[in-house]
């Protein structure tokens, strides 16, 4: 733990990636799809477009400072927000200044440039707010509580939503809260540090199917079950996150700083398309706490969950496997 001889903010900066593109040798730019970066995984995968000869990457960033950062009575002035890219393998460190989107706004945005020749694998990306305090320039006010990873060769931001997965006999478990659910294959608990998925070993063969690596139609059923489980998880964690929001004095909801905030930033663009995530959160919060509009929003929530679970691909693969099986049986 670090100690500072001056007052700081006790909440971290929230960082998200908003865009990414590659500059190619001919000078053109190739914008990357949103699949190139993952908020829950905090990773940017610059190999997604499979360009081996790209020259540099431009990554768009948006950073939200915690409440109080720009209040008129703060003990600091000349506040600056800096994105810092560090690569220990090549001993490179680059700093980029972000811009405040409006006077007194907590939102800061900008771009960083990643030069391909400066990196061999993974670089760490963090954001720091610095200011002049007691006449000393460059003092740290707050920073992100975890680095993003910029991977110059990975083809996907590996991972996804961090989960804790456990297996238990629901009917005999020492966790008494599981016993009423003895007839279901899985349940999801979002009350802990990480979302918990409990797999019910009472359902004969289910745990083996989830953990197996057999071929044929069984593998497609395995994929289909995982996508259904993932859909349930994304839906559950979204409702947990949006149902437990802190609210500022003016009634504006505040993004959580743990996994719940990451889930919201990941799903809100599909739940309330066309809006900045802060505006989307306000809209969803109003609908949840208001008299109307919440029920109609559930279709968008389900859509966002299905997309992240890869359900469409799993269904398509299962259908193709069934069609192939039917053709073989008819021959």
């Amino acid at each position: 733990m670090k100690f500072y001889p001056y007052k700081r903010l006790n909440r971290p900066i929230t960082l998200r990636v908003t865009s990414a593109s590659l500059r190619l040798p001919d000078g053109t730019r190739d914008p990357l799809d949103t699949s190139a970066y993952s908020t829950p995984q905090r990773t940017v995968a610059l190999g997604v477009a499979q360009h081996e000869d790209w020259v540099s990457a431009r990554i768009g960033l948006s950073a939200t400072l915690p409440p109080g950062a720009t209040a008129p009575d703060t003990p600091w002035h000349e506040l600056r927000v800096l994105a810092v890219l560090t690569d220990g393998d090549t001993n490179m460190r680059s700093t980029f200044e972000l811009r405040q989107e409006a006077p007194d706004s907590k939102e800061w945005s900008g771009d960083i440039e990643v030069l391909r020749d400066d990196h061999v694998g993974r670089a760490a990306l963090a954001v720091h707010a610095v200011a002049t305090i007691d006449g000393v320039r460059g003092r740290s006010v707050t920073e992100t509580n975890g680095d993003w990873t910029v991977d110059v060769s990975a083809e996907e931001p590996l991972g996804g939503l961090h989960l804790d997965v456990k297996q238990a006999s629901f009917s005999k478990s020492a966790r008494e809260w599981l016993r009423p659910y003895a007839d279901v294959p899985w349940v999801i608990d979002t009350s802990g540090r990480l979302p918990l998925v409990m797999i019910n070993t009472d359902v004969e063969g289910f745990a083996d199917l989830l953990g197996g690596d057999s071929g044929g139609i069984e593998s497609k059923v395995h994929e289909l079950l995982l996508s259904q489980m993932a859909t349930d998880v994304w839906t559950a964690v979204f409702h947990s996150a949006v149902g437990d929001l802190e609210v500022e004095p003016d009634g504006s909801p505040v993004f959580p700083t743990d996994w719940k905030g990451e889930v919201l930033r990941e799903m809100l663009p599909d739940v309330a398309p066309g809006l900045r995530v802060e505006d989307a959160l306000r809209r969803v919060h109003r609908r949840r706490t208001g008299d109307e509009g919440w029920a109609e929003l559930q279709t968008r929530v389900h859509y966002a969950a299905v997309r992240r679970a890869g359900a469409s691909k799993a269904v398509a693969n299962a259908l193709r496997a069934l069609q192939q099986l039917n053709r073989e049986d008819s021959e």
Side-chain angles (χ1 to χ4, degrees), residues 167 185 199-214 218-219 221-222 225-226:
Q167 296 186 14
I199 306 299
N200 189 2
T201 58
D202 293 335
V203 180
E204 186 175 355
F206 179 64
D208 293 336
L209 181 59
L210 286 180
D213 192 23
S214 58
E218 288 84 2
S219 67
V221 174
H222 166 92
L225 283 172
L226 286 180

Side-chain angles (χ1 to χ4, degrees), residues 67-319:
T70 57
D73 58 349
T74 60
W76 51 77
H77 60 284
E78 298 177 343
L79 182 67
R80 302 170 67 200
V81 178
L82 307 174
V84 180
L85 186 68
T86 307
D87 191 329
D89 292 331
T90 59
N91 200 29
M92 291 296 298
R93 180 183 175 91
S94 304
T95 302
F96 307 85
E97 186 159 3
L98 305 184
R99 303 175 302 275
Q100 192 174 21
E101 295 187 358
D104 300 325
S105 172
K106 299 192 299 292
E107 306 301 323
W108 299 65
S109 59
D111 301 314
I112 67 169
E113 288 286 336
V114 183
L115 300 179
R116 182 64 182 89
D117 290 344
D118 287 347
H119 305 279
V120 295
R122 294 182 153 206
L125 175 64
V127 171
H128 301 261
V130 299
T132 299
I133 304 176
D134 297 332
V136 180
R137 300 180 62 188
R139 281 187 156 176
S140 174
V141 173
T142 185
E143 58 280 317
T144 44
N145 65 351
D147 292 345
W148 274 67
T149 296
V150 178
D151 195 315
V152 299
S153 58
E155 296 182 7
E156 61 176 328
L158 299 176
L161 180 64
H162 293 287
L163 300 173
D164 188 9
V165 181
K166 290 184 170 63
Q167 296 186 14
S169 166
F170 285 14
S171 62
K172 303 174 184 177
S173 176
R175 297 180 172 90
E176 294 187 5
W177 65 271
L178 286 174
R179 295 175 187 172
Y181 310 113
D183 58 341
V184 300
W186 66 78
V187 293
I188 301 159
D189 177 18
T190 61
S191 62
R193 185 180 60 86
L194 289 176
L196 170 65
V197 181
M198 293 297 304
I199 306 299
N200 189 2
T201 58
D202 293 335
V203 180
E204 186 175 355
F206 179 64
D208 293 336
L209 181 59
L210 286 180
D213 192 23
S214 58
I217 191 65
E218 288 84 2
S219 67
K220 305 308 176 186
V221 174
H222 166 92
E223 183 182 0
L224 197 61
L225 283 172
L226 286 180
S227 71
Q228 178 59 57
M229 186 183 302
T231 299
D232 289 352
V233 169
W234 278 105
T235 303
V237 295
F238 179 85
H239 283 285
S240 176
V242 81
D244 190 28
L245 294 173
E246 293 183 25
V247 180
E248 295 194 63
D250 64 357
S252 299
V254 177
F255 274 99
T257 57
D258 58 2
W259 63 263
K260 294 180 180 180
E262 296 177 347
V263 164
L264 291 174
R265 293 184 186 280
E266 181 82 5
M267 295 183 68
L268 282 171
D270 283 328
V271 176
L275 298 177
R276 294 169 60 251
V277 288
E278 291 76 14
D279 296 331
L281 182 62
R282 282 190 285 269
R283 173 180 289 184
V284 170
H285 179 66
R286 284 196 304 268
R287 290 198 176 188
R288 190 188 70 82
T289 57
D291 296 330
E292 59 183 24
W294 180 237
E296 290 81 355
L297 204 63
Q298 299 314 300
T299 301
R300 299 294 316 185
V301 174
H302 183 258
Y303 167 72
V306 166
R307 283 196 65 195
R308 276 143 193 84
S312 296
K313 179 181 177 181
V315 170
N317 289 342
L319 289 175

